[in-house]
Amino acid sequence: MEKYTLPKLPYGYDSLEPHFDSRTMEIHHLKHHQTYLDKLNASLEKYPEFFEKPIEILLSDLNNLPEDVRLSVKNNGGGFYHHSLFWNFLSPNGGGNPSSSFKNILVSSFGDFDLFKEKFSSVALSQFGSGWAWLVEKDGRLDIISTSNQDSPVSSGYKIIIGLDVWEHAYYLNYQNRRADYITAWWNLVNWSEAERRFNEK
Ligand code: MN3
């Protein structure tokens, strides 16, 4: 049975400089992401049938999992899944504005594009301790939420459109405790075409 595997980054570790530095990207991918993956795979060894399912399917129905792996899927499965998405939410050609059609969707949901960015930044900044900020969709409605640790929006029925890792490991080497500077830098990297693709995906 095939286990879950570490996805490659769609760009080089140094491609997001100067906003996200090469060393942080490399450690984040090869150490943090890899560790979530290894722990997830180890915990599912006695239930190899789960490896046939996309991890987001397991995360979307945690209560249906055997109790002895539920917490590992929530934490390590969440970490594995969220980082797999996160790399694609970033692009060396990112930042700036979304397409006009996707921008209109954000404007109709949040008033205007700058208000959307302000609200997202504020949610990311005020998440206490480790976690993520998310742009999510449920029942046709867009919302900005945060979750703690690796708790997944998909476990609450949300579709993830875009997300920002605000664990200190994502920024501490370059930004130390200045999460606000990291968030400001992130806006230069946001892969809007991936966000739009996910929004339109059924
Ligand atoms: Mn991380």
Side-chain angles (χ1 to χ4, degrees):
M1 198 66 56
E2 289 292 319
K3 296 185 174 185
Y4 294 111
T5 55
L6 191 72
K8 285 191 164 52
L9 298 199
Y11 40 73
Y13 290 123
D14 60 355
S15 302
L16 307 180
E17 299 261 9
H19 310 293
F20 285 10
D21 67 287
S22 176
R23 186 159 158 74
T24 297
M25 289 298 295
E26 186 171 353
I27 293 171
H28 203 170
H29 182 233
L30 293 180
K31 302 292 182 191
H32 293 279
H33 197 180
Q34 181 76 52
T35 300
Y36 290 119
L37 171 64
D38 291 344
K39 289 183 174 172
L40 174 67
N41 280 335
S43 69
L44 289 179
E45 248 163 32
K46 57 188 276 207
Y47 303 103
E49 65 272 22
F50 288 142
F51 293 126
E52 289 176 23
K53 300 190 181 199
I55 187 62
E56 62 268 35
I57 297 296
L58 303 187
L59 288 166
S60 70
D61 199 5
L62 289 173
N63 287 332
N64 241 343
L65 295 176
E67 205 175 344
D68 59 345
V69 295
R70 196 175 297 154
L71 189 63
S72 176
V73 170
K74 178 179 145 145
N75 291 333
N76 299 305
F80 168 62
Y81 178 53
H82 297 151
H83 289 86
S84 300
L85 296 175
F86 183 59
W87 312 127
N88 291 308
F89 293 154
L90 306 169
S91 169
N93 311 117
N97 287 291
S99 72
S100 58
S101 60
F102 191 57
K103 192 171 182 176
N104 285 340
I105 288 160
L106 293 173
V107 168
S108 64
S109 300
F110 300 102
D112 74 42
F113 184 56
D114 286 334
L115 277 175
F116 158 72
K117 288 176 67 177
E118 272 172 40
K119 184 175 181 199
F120 191 99
S121 294
S122 159
V123 167
L125 189 60
S126 58
Q127 163 59 32
F128 183 76
S130 296
W132 292 72
W134 307 100
L135 173 65
V136 291
E137 184 264 337
K138 191 194 272 190
D139 303 326
R141 203 186 127 83
L142 284 175
D143 208 352
I144 297 167
I145 63 167
S146 62
T147 59
S148 293
N149 302 312
Q150 298 297 352
D151 293 358
S152 190
V154 304
S155 304
S156 307
Y158 288 108
K159 174 165 143 182
I160 295 171
I161 308 299
I162 212 148
L164 174 61
D165 188 345
V166 294
W167 284 59
E168 279 190 345
H169 68 230
Y171 58 89
Y172 200 85
L173 278 180
N174 198 36
Y175 294 101
Q176 291 78 53
N177 63 334
R178 303 187 308 278
R179 186 189 287 182
D181 292 351
Y182 162 75
I183 296 167
T184 299
W186 176 71
W187 288 114
N188 295 301
L189 301 172
V190 176
N191 186 348
W192 290 116
S193 51
E194 174 67 1
E196 184 171 10
R197 188 193 67 74
R198 293 184 63 82
F199 178 78
N200 289 321
E201 188 179 57
K202 268 295 133 210

